[in-house]
Amino acid sequence: MTDDRPAWARRIAAERQARDWSQRDAVRALRAHAPTELPAEDSMIRQWKRWESGQAPNDFYQPIIAAVFGTVTHALFPAPSRRDGDKEILAASGMETLEIVSRLNRSDVDSATLDALRITTDRLCSEYPFMPSAQLLVEGRQWLRRVVDLHTKSLTLAQHREVLALSGWLALLVGCVEYDTGDRHAAESTRRAALSLATESDHPEVAGWAHEMRAWFALTTGDYRGVIAAAQAGAETAAHHSVAVQLAGQEAKAWARLGDRRQVEVALDKGRRLLEGMPYPENLDNHFVVDPGKFDFYAMDCYRLVGEDRLARTLAEEVLRAGTDFDGTERSPMRNAEARVTLGVTAAREGDLEQALIHGERALQGERQSVPSLIMTSRELAAVMRQRYSTEPAAQDYLNHLQEIGRERPGFLPS
């Protein structure tokens, strides 16, 4: 029998059950988060039942329900997308690549050319989740060179700052892809270049993402205190931009790996409050936009690490649901891979080796991978395998597969 309730209705029921709450418990938690007095308890329980059956809560209740489950409104109740795809981007710019390049060769640059470059940069950053790494790296570097070459043209002061900012965004993108493919030294050099461009153009958002990359690099190499330092520096630089949310998420991940559950909750709550107060993003596909669903991804990682398996599993299933189209196409393959590792870890801890291996191997199969992040999370599954299933041949095969990936990416070999 199919469950045709909306995804949010299925999720609030699953979130409640993962906490071993009755509907009365959920209503009491709702009351604790409400800014004003709510109706009587029995009335609210009937209302909760209607919500779980699929009757949508109004705008007053949606953020309160999200807060009850430690997430943000638009992660639980997604807003409709404002983008209509690549055709809209082409219509907005009015230019094909050939025309943009031809305009770049002129002695001066007009506003239409800068608009086209801005849209092209947004398009490239939006292709980060799914374009093959090698292709994105080539295109990103080509456009970075083209934009940097604009510094030799006759530019106004405003155009000069705009070109510096666009160079910074492209450098951030290139650095991310370099790190995904295991080129750590190139990635760090590119990250520093982006930070320098941000400083020169007085662009706090680009600077914030440069600090976020430093936090990510530190996280995947085990420098957890370095993560916290980078996250705090970035949050101070870009306090009013969405990157501050991602910095809070990285900080929470570091505290989870240091075993400090209280600081995990403090960092997650900081990120949740920041994100809840920000406008809904116009382009959810852009890698440098923190979409509401990303917050569930951060929390999933933290709950897995602190041993909250039911919560981690519930969030992993939500990450997979949100990151997969109705036809099975994966919109967020890298997030999905880490969600599958989470499902593998929780299955292994519960004694289900077969499911753990299915999820673990599936996580390693995607064409678009962030190798450092994937191996970092896979280490946890490997540790459970060694601890509980060291004599099982199938578990040994999985561990050998991880070792092969590690040998292909020196410096990321799982311990």
Side-chain angles (χ1 to χ4, degrees), residues 86-126:
D86 292 338
K87 289 183 180 178
E88 188 172 320
I89 293 177
L90 287 174
S93 70
M95 297 186 202
E96 299 286 350
T97 297
L98 184 61
E99 184 179 354
I100 300 172
V101 173
S102 134
R103 282 171 172 256
L104 294 179
N105 290 328
R106 297 178 182 175
S107 59
D108 58 356
V109 176
D110 58 20
S111 59
T113 304
L114 284 177
D115 285 342
L117 283 174
R118 197 179 300 114
I119 292 166
T120 300
T121 300
D122 181 77
R123 176 184 63 79
L124 287 169
C125 292
S126 299

Side-chain angles (χ1 to χ4, degrees), residues 104 106-107 146-155 160 163:
L104 294 179
R106 297 178 182 175
S107 59
R146 288 166 181 160
V147 174
V148 167
D149 284 345
L150 287 181
H151 292 292
T152 63
K153 309 293 183 184
S154 176
L155 300 173
H160 178 68
V163 167

Side-chain angles (χ1 to χ4, degrees), residues 45-311:
I45 291 172
R46 289 193 294 272
Q47 182 64 69
W48 191 278
K49 290 180 185 293
R50 288 193 287 270
W51 291 337
E52 287 198 6
S53 70
Q55 185 180 105
N58 62 27
D59 291 344
F60 172 77
Y61 283 110
Q62 286 185 9
I64 306 173
I65 296 169
V68 163
F69 295 125
T71 188
V72 292
T73 305
H74 290 305
L76 194 53
F77 305 99
S81 174
R82 300 182 187 179
R83 291 193 61 187
D84 294 327
D86 292 338
K87 289 183 180 178
E88 188 172 320
I89 293 177
L90 287 174
S93 70
M95 297 186 202
E96 299 286 350
T97 297
L98 184 61
E99 184 179 354
I100 300 172
V101 173
S102 134
R103 282 171 172 256
L104 294 179
N105 290 328
R106 297 178 182 175
S107 59
D108 58 356
V109 176
D110 58 20
S111 59
T113 304
L114 284 177
D115 285 342
L117 283 174
R118 197 179 300 114
I119 292 166
T120 300
T121 300
D122 181 77
R123 176 184 63 79
L124 287 169
C125 292
S126 299
E127 290 174 344
Y128 173 82
F130 54 85
M131 182 181 283
S133 299
Q135 181 182 347
L136 186 55
L137 198 55
V138 168
E139 287 198 34
R141 285 172 172 165
Q142 284 177 341
W143 281 105
L144 179 57
R145 281 193 292 271
R146 288 166 181 160
V147 174
V148 167
D149 284 345
L150 287 181
H151 292 292
T152 63
K153 309 293 183 184
S154 176
L155 300 173
T156 67
L157 179 59
Q159 288 175 331
H160 178 68
R161 291 185 64 182
E162 176 75 7
V163 167
L164 287 172
L166 288 171
S167 301
W169 286 119
L170 288 166
L172 290 170
L173 175 65
V174 169
C176 285
V177 183
E178 286 171 339
Y179 199 70
D180 284 340
T181 56
D183 194 345
R184 293 167 58 184
H185 298 298
E188 174 59 16
S189 296
T190 308
R191 184 197 72 82
R192 291 186 180 188
L195 184 58
S196 176
L197 289 162
T199 302
E200 190 176 349
S201 61
D202 191 23
H203 201 295
E205 192 174 9
V206 171
W209 280 106
H211 286 294
E212 192 279 336
M213 286 174 65
R214 178 184 158 213
W216 172 36
F217 296 175
L219 184 72
T220 54
T221 53
D223 179 13
Y224 305 133
R225 294 291 175 183
V227 177
I228 295 165
Q232 292 175 351
E236 184 177 347
T237 300
H240 304 295
H241 297 275
S242 69
V243 65
V245 178
Q246 185 139 326
L247 288 161
Q250 298 288 29
E251 184 178 348
K253 290 182 178 186
W255 285 120
R257 286 166 172 81
L258 289 168
D260 193 327
R261 173 63 186 270
R262 189 181 74 83
Q263 290 295 341
V264 169
E265 295 294 350
V266 168
L268 284 176
D269 190 57
K270 177 171 61 177
R272 184 187 68 79
R273 290 176 184 276
L274 283 168
L275 186 53
E276 192 67 271
M278 291 180 177
Y280 193 75
E282 291 188 6
N283 179 9
L284 292 176
D285 295 329
N286 190 309
H287 179 60
F288 301 109
V289 168
V290 179
D291 66 281
K294 223 172 190 180
F295 197 77
D296 294 331
F297 177 68
Y298 305 146
M300 173 197 77
D301 182 89
C302 294
Y303 287 135
R304 181 187 69 245
L305 284 158
V306 298
E308 293 281 1
D309 288 346
R310 292 181 67 181
L311 291 176

